[in-house]
Amino acid sequence: MKIYLCAFACLSGGVAGFSFSAKTSQGKVLQNTNFRRDVSLYSSLITIKDEVNINSDDAISRGAISMNVDELAEEMGGWGRAKLVWDYYRIGIDPLKYFRHQEPSNTLEKFIQGVDANDSDVLNLLPNLRRTQSLGKASLDKLQELYNDYGGELEGGVAKLTHISTSTDGTTKLLIELKDGLEVETVIIPWHDKGWSTICISSQVGCKQGCTFCSTGRMGKLRNLSSTEILSQFFLALKICRLGSIPELANVVFMGMGEPADNAEEVKAALKILTDVNLFHMGQSKVIVSTVAPSPDAFTQFKDSP
């Protein structure tokens, strides 16, 4: 993991329309609906500031996506169950929705989940050992319990994808609604000529640093994100990359909303999951935490990070 002094931000205020064609591993193309809104993503974020109780840096339990295999195995009563959950997380599929065939709540979710549920090519993305394995009711109920603080599920509970936009160069913004109605942005920056993408992740809702070049600085800090909420951004980006034929994620930068050094413990917890070889397996040298160095401790508090 690398730490850099911040010189720029990934996020800007504008929104364009978005459309994409999703391809299966056999090359079949699935067309979705165009989603277009001529408003700023930040308009909804700034409005929420006066509408939501933002006094919420209280301790919150970790969801399954914030647990390593051993920790999840202890909760679910078996290493095989925990490994299966992580095999699905790693390809951007929520096992609770997949195995329960839950109905989506809106058009965007219907498109995304519809591909997951109907495309047999999903199985080809799993290790051979896992292709015939499933989770029973008791395992799914336990997995749901681990997200009780987030409405009982990862996708739609911890984080709900509410809008996608893209620019002419393919940069893709995800607007993500959290359990309390606040929203954050995650940005996928594709490098088609190189065959990989970079994801820009948020660590807070808003930011107290007030950098004049940053749209988030105008919001002030609303609250920190938990490691579960941070990792949910990566999970949803994996889903969109897979369905949208966007090059796979190869780099992570904490240059989204918020100052990572002001939420160091949750950021460090997320870094451990991102770089664990049994979990998201991102190379440690491919993960960058960007900070404006609000104090001398901004760097030293990350000394025990991966």
Side-chain angles (χ1 to χ4, degrees), residues 84-99 112 115-117 119 121-123 125-126 154-155 235-236 238-239 242-243:
L84 180 63
V85 169
W86 265 107
D87 285 335
Y88 277 91
Y89 284 163
R90 201 159 33 245
I91 58 176
I93 295 177
D94 186 346
L96 278 172
K97 287 186 174 294
Y98 187 81
F99 288 112
I112 292 172
V115 176
D116 287 346
D119 187 6
D121 290 341
V122 166
L123 296 179
L125 301 174
L126 297 172
L154 171 58
E155 187 177 346
F235 165 81
L236 289 173
L238 287 172
K239 176 185 286 289
R242 176 170 56 82
L243 298 181

Short mmCIF file of all heavy atoms in Angstrom, two decimals, residues 84-99 112 115-117 119 121-123 125-126 154-155 235-236 238-239 242-243:
data_model
loop_
_atom_site.label_atom_id
_atom_site.label_comp_id
_atom_site.label_asym_id
_atom_site.label_seq_id
_atom_site.Cartn_x
_atom_site.Cartn_y
_atom_site.Cartn_z
N LEU A 84 -17.13 -20.06 -0.25
CA LEU A 84 -18.11 -19.89 -1.32
C LEU A 84 -18.64 -18.46 -1.35
O LEU A 84 -18.78 -17.85 -2.42
CB LEU A 84 -19.26 -20.87 -1.15
CG LEU A 84 -20.37 -20.80 -2.20
CD1 LEU A 84 -19.83 -21.14 -3.58
CD2 LEU A 84 -21.54 -21.72 -1.84
N VAL A 85 -18.95 -17.91 -0.17
CA VAL A 85 -19.41 -16.52 -0.10
C VAL A 85 -18.39 -15.60 -0.74
O VAL A 85 -18.73 -14.73 -1.55
CB VAL A 85 -19.68 -16.11 1.37
CG1 VAL A 85 -19.90 -14.60 1.47
CG2 VAL A 85 -20.90 -16.85 1.91
N TRP A 86 -17.12 -15.80 -0.42
CA TRP A 86 -16.08 -14.94 -0.97
C TRP A 86 -15.84 -15.16 -2.46
O TRP A 86 -15.48 -14.24 -3.19
CB TRP A 86 -14.78 -15.10 -0.17
CG TRP A 86 -14.70 -14.03 0.87
CD1 TRP A 86 -14.85 -14.15 2.21
CD2 TRP A 86 -14.49 -12.64 0.62
NE1 TRP A 86 -14.76 -12.93 2.84
CE2 TRP A 86 -14.54 -11.98 1.88
CE3 TRP A 86 -14.29 -11.88 -0.51
CZ2 TRP A 86 -14.37 -10.61 2.02
CZ3 TRP A 86 -14.12 -10.51 -0.39
CH2 TRP A 86 -14.15 -9.89 0.86
N ASP A 87 -16.06 -16.37 -2.94
CA ASP A 87 -15.95 -16.60 -4.39
C ASP A 87 -16.98 -15.78 -5.15
O ASP A 87 -16.71 -15.30 -6.26
CB ASP A 87 -16.14 -18.09 -4.70
CG ASP A 87 -14.92 -18.92 -4.33
OD1 ASP A 87 -13.81 -18.35 -4.30
OD2 ASP A 87 -15.07 -20.13 -4.07
N TYR A 88 -18.16 -15.59 -4.55
CA TYR A 88 -19.18 -14.75 -5.19
C TYR A 88 -18.89 -13.27 -5.01
O TYR A 88 -19.07 -12.48 -5.96
CB TYR A 88 -20.57 -15.11 -4.64
CG TYR A 88 -21.16 -16.32 -5.33
CD1 TYR A 88 -20.96 -17.60 -4.84
CD2 TYR A 88 -21.90 -16.18 -6.51
CE1 TYR A 88 -21.49 -18.71 -5.48
CE2 TYR A 88 -22.43 -17.28 -7.16
CZ TYR A 88 -22.22 -18.54 -6.64
OH TYR A 88 -22.73 -19.64 -7.30
N TYR A 89 -18.46 -12.86 -3.83
CA TYR A 89 -18.10 -11.45 -3.65
C TYR A 89 -17.03 -11.02 -4.65
O TYR A 89 -17.06 -9.91 -5.17
CB TYR A 89 -17.57 -11.21 -2.23
CG TYR A 89 -18.62 -11.18 -1.15
CD1 TYR A 89 -18.26 -11.33 0.19
CD2 TYR A 89 -19.97 -10.99 -1.44
CE1 TYR A 89 -19.21 -11.29 1.20
CE2 TYR A 89 -20.93 -10.97 -0.44
CZ TYR A 89 -20.54 -11.11 0.88
OH TYR A 89 -21.49 -11.08 1.88
N ARG A 90 -16.10 -11.92 -4.91
CA ARG A 90 -14.96 -11.57 -5.75
C ARG A 90 -15.35 -11.32 -7.20
O ARG A 90 -14.61 -10.70 -7.96
CB ARG A 90 -13.89 -12.68 -5.66
CG ARG A 90 -12.52 -12.25 -6.05
CD ARG A 90 -11.42 -13.15 -5.50
NE ARG A 90 -11.82 -14.54 -5.39
CZ ARG A 90 -11.93 -15.20 -4.25
NH1 ARG A 90 -11.66 -14.59 -3.11
NH2 ARG A 90 -12.29 -16.46 -4.22
N ILE A 91 -16.50 -11.79 -7.62
CA ILE A 91 -16.98 -11.53 -8.99
C ILE A 91 -18.17 -10.56 -8.99
O ILE A 91 -18.85 -10.40 -10.00
CB ILE A 91 -17.34 -12.83 -9.73
CG1 ILE A 91 -18.41 -13.63 -9.01
CG2 ILE A 91 -16.10 -13.67 -9.97
CD1 ILE A 91 -18.87 -14.88 -9.76
N GLY A 92 -18.41 -9.92 -7.85
CA GLY A 92 -19.44 -8.90 -7.80
C GLY A 92 -20.85 -9.43 -7.74
O GLY A 92 -21.77 -8.83 -8.31
N ILE A 93 -21.05 -10.54 -7.06
CA ILE A 93 -22.39 -11.12 -6.90
C ILE A 93 -22.67 -11.30 -5.42
O ILE A 93 -21.86 -11.85 -4.68
CB ILE A 93 -22.51 -12.48 -7.63
CG1 ILE A 93 -22.37 -12.29 -9.14
CG2 ILE A 93 -23.84 -13.15 -7.31
CD1 ILE A 93 -22.40 -13.58 -9.92
N ASP A 94 -23.82 -10.82 -4.99
CA ASP A 94 -24.25 -10.98 -3.61
C ASP A 94 -24.90 -12.35 -3.47
O ASP A 94 -25.97 -12.60 -4.05
CB ASP A 94 -25.25 -9.88 -3.25
CG ASP A 94 -25.65 -9.90 -1.78
OD1 ASP A 94 -25.38 -10.90 -1.10
OD2 ASP A 94 -26.23 -8.90 -1.32
N PRO A 95 -24.30 -13.28 -2.72
CA PRO A 95 -24.88 -14.63 -2.61
C PRO A 95 -26.28 -14.64 -2.01
O PRO A 95 -27.07 -15.54 -2.33
CB PRO A 95 -23.87 -15.39 -1.74
CG PRO A 95 -23.06 -14.34 -1.08
CD PRO A 95 -23.04 -13.16 -1.99
N LEU A 96 -26.60 -13.67 -1.17
CA LEU A 96 -27.96 -13.61 -0.63
C LEU A 96 -28.98 -13.42 -1.75
O LEU A 96 -30.02 -14.09 -1.77
CB LEU A 96 -28.08 -12.47 0.38
CG LEU A 96 -27.58 -12.75 1.80
CD1 LEU A 96 -27.58 -11.47 2.62
CD2 LEU A 96 -28.44 -13.82 2.47
N LYS A 97 -28.70 -12.53 -2.67
CA LYS A 97 -29.62 -12.30 -3.79
C LYS A 97 -29.57 -13.45 -4.79
O LYS A 97 -30.60 -13.87 -5.33
CB LYS A 97 -29.29 -10.98 -4.48
CG LYS A 97 -29.67 -9.74 -3.70
CD LYS A 97 -29.44 -8.48 -4.51
CE LYS A 97 -29.96 -7.24 -3.77
NZ LYS A 97 -31.42 -7.24 -3.61
N TYR A 98 -28.38 -13.96 -5.03
CA TYR A 98 -28.22 -14.99 -6.06
C TYR A 98 -28.94 -16.28 -5.67
O TYR A 98 -29.68 -16.86 -6.48
CB TYR A 98 -26.73 -15.25 -6.28
CG TYR A 98 -26.44 -16.17 -7.44
CD1 TYR A 98 -26.44 -15.70 -8.74
CD2 TYR A 98 -26.17 -17.52 -7.23
CE1 TYR A 98 -26.17 -16.54 -9.82
CE2 TYR A 98 -25.90 -18.36 -8.29
CZ TYR A 98 -25.90 -17.87 -9.58
OH TYR A 98 -25.65 -18.72 -10.63
N PHE A 99 -28.74 -16.74 -4.46
CA PHE A 99 -29.32 -18.02 -4.05
C PHE A 99 -30.78 -17.91 -3.64
O PHE A 99 -31.50 -18.90 -3.64
CB PHE A 99 -28.49 -18.64 -2.92
CG PHE A 99 -27.16 -19.16 -3.37
CD1 PHE A 99 -26.00 -18.54 -2.96
CD2 PHE A 99 -27.06 -20.25 -4.22
CE1 PHE A 99 -24.75 -19.01 -3.37
CE2 PHE A 99 -25.83 -20.73 -4.64
CZ PHE A 99 -24.67 -20.10 -4.22
N ILE A 112 -29.29 -5.49 -13.73
CA ILE A 112 -28.07 -6.07 -13.18
C ILE A 112 -28.33 -7.47 -12.64
O ILE A 112 -27.64 -8.43 -12.96
CB ILE A 112 -27.50 -5.17 -12.07
CG1 ILE A 112 -26.99 -3.86 -12.68
CG2 ILE A 112 -26.38 -5.85 -11.32
CD1 ILE A 112 -26.59 -2.82 -11.66
N VAL A 115 -29.12 -10.35 -15.23
CA VAL A 115 -27.98 -11.00 -15.86
C VAL A 115 -27.40 -12.05 -14.94
O VAL A 115 -27.09 -13.17 -15.34
CB VAL A 115 -26.90 -9.96 -16.24
CG1 VAL A 115 -25.68 -10.63 -16.82
CG2 VAL A 115 -27.46 -8.96 -17.25
N ASP A 116 -27.27 -11.71 -13.66
CA ASP A 116 -26.73 -12.67 -12.70
C ASP A 116 -27.57 -13.93 -12.63
O ASP A 116 -27.06 -15.04 -12.65
CB ASP A 116 -26.68 -12.05 -11.31
CG ASP A 116 -25.57 -11.01 -11.17
OD1 ASP A 116 -24.69 -10.96 -12.04
OD2 ASP A 116 -25.61 -10.28 -10.18
N ALA A 117 -28.89 -13.76 -12.57
CA ALA A 117 -29.76 -14.89 -12.32
C ALA A 117 -29.93 -15.78 -13.56
O ALA A 117 -30.10 -16.97 -13.43
CB ALA A 117 -31.13 -14.38 -11.87
N ASP A 119 -27.79 -15.87 -16.44
CA ASP A 119 -26.62 -16.13 -17.25
C ASP A 119 -25.82 -17.28 -16.64
O ASP A 119 -25.17 -17.14 -15.62
CB ASP A 119 -25.74 -14.87 -17.33
CG ASP A 119 -24.58 -15.03 -18.30
OD1 ASP A 119 -24.52 -16.07 -18.97
OD2 ASP A 119 -23.76 -14.12 -18.35
N ASP A 121 -23.18 -18.42 -17.57
CA ASP A 121 -21.74 -18.17 -17.64
C ASP A 121 -21.17 -17.71 -16.30
O ASP A 121 -19.95 -17.74 -16.11
CB ASP A 121 -21.44 -17.10 -18.69
CG ASP A 121 -21.68 -17.61 -20.10
OD1 ASP A 121 -21.72 -18.84 -20.28
OD2 ASP A 121 -21.83 -16.78 -21.01
N VAL A 122 -22.02 -17.29 -15.38
CA VAL A 122 -21.54 -16.94 -14.04
C VAL A 122 -20.77 -18.10 -13.43
O VAL A 122 -19.73 -17.92 -12.80
CB VAL A 122 -22.72 -16.53 -13.14
CG1 VAL A 122 -22.29 -16.49 -11.67
CG2 VAL A 122 -23.26 -15.17 -13.55
N LEU A 123 -21.27 -19.31 -13.64
CA LEU A 123 -20.62 -20.48 -13.06
C LEU A 123 -19.21 -20.66 -13.58
O LEU A 123 -18.34 -21.18 -12.87
CB LEU A 123 -21.45 -21.73 -13.35
CG LEU A 123 -22.85 -21.78 -12.73
CD1 LEU A 123 -23.56 -23.07 -13.12
CD2 LEU A 123 -22.77 -21.65 -11.21
N LEU A 125 -17.10 -18.46 -13.94
CA LEU A 125 -16.21 -17.54 -13.23
C LEU A 125 -15.81 -18.09 -11.87
O LEU A 125 -14.92 -17.54 -11.22
CB LEU A 125 -16.90 -16.19 -13.05
CG LEU A 125 -17.32 -15.46 -14.33
CD1 LEU A 125 -18.12 -14.21 -13.98
CD2 LEU A 125 -16.11 -15.11 -15.17
N LEU A 126 -16.45 -19.17 -11.44
CA LEU A 126 -16.17 -19.76 -10.14
C LEU A 126 -15.15 -20.88 -10.26
O LEU A 126 -15.04 -21.53 -11.32
CB LEU A 126 -17.46 -20.33 -9.54
CG LEU A 126 -18.59 -19.35 -9.23
CD1 LEU A 126 -19.84 -20.13 -8.83
CD2 LEU A 126 -18.18 -18.39 -8.13
N LEU A 154 -26.10 -7.06 1.81
CA LEU A 154 -25.01 -6.24 1.29
C LEU A 154 -25.53 -5.32 0.19
O LEU A 154 -25.55 -4.10 0.34
CB LEU A 154 -23.89 -7.15 0.75
CG LEU A 154 -22.77 -6.48 -0.05
CD1 LEU A 154 -22.07 -5.41 0.78
CD2 LEU A 154 -21.78 -7.52 -0.55
N GLU A 155 -25.95 -5.90 -0.91
CA GLU A 155 -26.44 -5.12 -2.05
C GLU A 155 -27.89 -4.70 -1.81
O GLU A 155 -28.78 -5.54 -1.70
CB GLU A 155 -26.33 -5.94 -3.34
CG GLU A 155 -26.64 -5.17 -4.59
CD GLU A 155 -26.45 -6.00 -5.84
OE1 GLU A 155 -25.82 -7.07 -5.76
OE2 GLU A 155 -26.95 -5.57 -6.90
N PHE A 235 -17.07 -3.84 -4.34
CA PHE A 235 -17.95 -4.94 -4.75
C PHE A 235 -18.87 -4.51 -5.90
O PHE A 235 -18.99 -5.22 -6.92
CB PHE A 235 -18.79 -5.40 -3.55
CG PHE A 235 -19.96 -6.26 -3.90
CD1 PHE A 235 -19.81 -7.61 -4.14
CD2 PHE A 235 -21.24 -5.71 -4.00
CE1 PHE A 235 -20.90 -8.40 -4.48
CE2 PHE A 235 -22.32 -6.48 -4.32
CZ PHE A 235 -22.15 -7.84 -4.57
N LEU A 236 -19.52 -3.36 -5.78
CA LEU A 236 -20.42 -2.90 -6.83
C LEU A 236 -19.66 -2.56 -8.11
O LEU A 236 -20.15 -2.78 -9.21
CB LEU A 236 -21.22 -1.69 -6.35
CG LEU A 236 -22.30 -1.98 -5.30
CD1 LEU A 236 -22.91 -0.68 -4.78
CD2 LEU A 236 -23.38 -2.89 -5.87
N LEU A 238 -16.96 -4.10 -9.12
CA LEU A 238 -16.69 -5.40 -9.75
C LEU A 238 -17.89 -5.85 -10.59
O LEU A 238 -17.73 -6.36 -11.70
CB LEU A 238 -16.39 -6.45 -8.68
CG LEU A 238 -15.05 -6.37 -7.97
CD1 LEU A 238 -15.02 -7.37 -6.81
CD2 LEU A 238 -13.90 -6.67 -8.94
N LYS A 239 -19.07 -5.66 -10.05
CA LYS A 239 -20.29 -6.04 -10.76
C LYS A 239 -20.43 -5.25 -12.06
O LYS A 239 -20.69 -5.83 -13.14
CB LYS A 239 -21.51 -5.80 -9.87
CG LYS A 239 -22.85 -6.08 -10.54
CD LYS A 239 -24.01 -5.72 -9.64
CE LYS A 239 -24.17 -6.72 -8.53
NZ LYS A 239 -24.69 -8.03 -9.02
N ARG A 242 -17.92 -6.27 -14.72
CA ARG A 242 -18.26 -7.56 -15.33
C ARG A 242 -19.42 -7.43 -16.31
O ARG A 242 -19.37 -7.94 -17.42
CB ARG A 242 -18.60 -8.57 -14.23
CG ARG A 242 -19.07 -9.93 -14.75
CD ARG A 242 -19.16 -10.93 -13.60
NE ARG A 242 -20.01 -10.47 -12.53
CZ ARG A 242 -21.34 -10.59 -12.52
NH1 ARG A 242 -21.96 -11.14 -13.55
NH2 ARG A 242 -22.06 -10.18 -11.50
N LEU A 243 -20.45 -6.72 -15.91
CA LEU A 243 -21.63 -6.61 -16.76
C LEU A 243 -21.46 -5.60 -17.88
O LEU A 243 -22.09 -5.72 -18.93
CB LEU A 243 -22.85 -6.21 -15.91
CG LEU A 243 -23.25 -7.19 -14.81
CD1 LEU A 243 -24.48 -6.68 -14.08
CD2 LEU A 243 -23.49 -8.58 -15.37
#
